[in-house]
Amino acid sequence: MRTLLVSDLHYDLRKLDWVLAEAAGVDLVAIAGDVLDVGSALPLDAQIAVVLEYLTRMADRTTTVVCSGNHDLDHRTAEGEKATAWITEARGAGVVVDGDSVEVADWLVTACPWWEGPHSLARMEAGLALAEARRSDRWLWVYHGPPEGPLSWTGSRHFGDPELPRLLDRHHPDVVLCGHIHQAPYVDGGAWFEQREGTWLFNSGFQTGPIPAHVLLDLSAGRAEWWSLQGQGTIDLGEAQAS
């Protein structure tokens, strides 16, 4: 299963164009959150309309899985926690979104929503429990925030998801595709991949320009390749040494 991981596109239409062009060449496009950009002068409603069109076109070309990130929040729940509602509109176009799972080859792929408090965390955990009941073999999560460690290191401090280590210990997914921390692959002490017991985790990072930093995983061959303007790398998932 050839999987393309990108994240933190932040409403850069050049990057969205690139992902759309690459979609037909892979079995799975995984967008690990922050498709929108809350710092843009363009209102979120306008961004959402354009992004939904891109996601629809991607889903026409290949299986497309998108999880929400902190830039994608557009409303508050009844409990007062920030959440993402717009992304569910893509479900009707065949996009796999927050809380959904899809089977690709012999992998179960689950999109994990961004959580902001105990209620949204509980809903996310309930979704993982339902997905685990479907699991027959290998399991991949698309989850915006990496756990504390090299994938969450900015060069000065960690911004790791505080609950993800516990969830990894409970569910033992095989692969987790993340984003959120732009600097991690480029700074001393950071990385684009990490192995925790039986789970491989990846964060491709962020770069400016028309091509996003990205990871291409050939999960059938057990190989991952990272590309960015500042560096590249490969990892054999059967080993713990990068080249």
Side-chain angles (χ1 to χ4, degrees), residues 139-207:
W139 197 7
L140 182 152
W141 296 359
V142 185
Y143 193 114
H144 184 55
E148 183 166 325
L151 303 190
S152 71
W153 179 242
T154 67
S156 60
R157 61 173 294 186
H158 287 284
F159 286 95
D161 184 295
E163 298 295 334
L164 185 51
R166 176 179 60 83
L167 297 173
L168 296 177
D169 288 343
R170 174 178 296 178
H171 296 287
H172 304 289
D174 299 278
V175 174
V176 180
L177 306 181
C178 302
H180 191 43
I181 307 304
H182 297 183
Q183 308 95 325
Y186 312 115
V187 297
D188 289 341
W192 63 275
F193 72 90
E194 178 188 7
Q195 187 180 28
R196 295 196 177 201
E197 297 183 354
T199 300
W200 284 97
L201 300 99
F202 298 90
N203 175 6
S204 57
F206 171 85
Q207 66 183 13

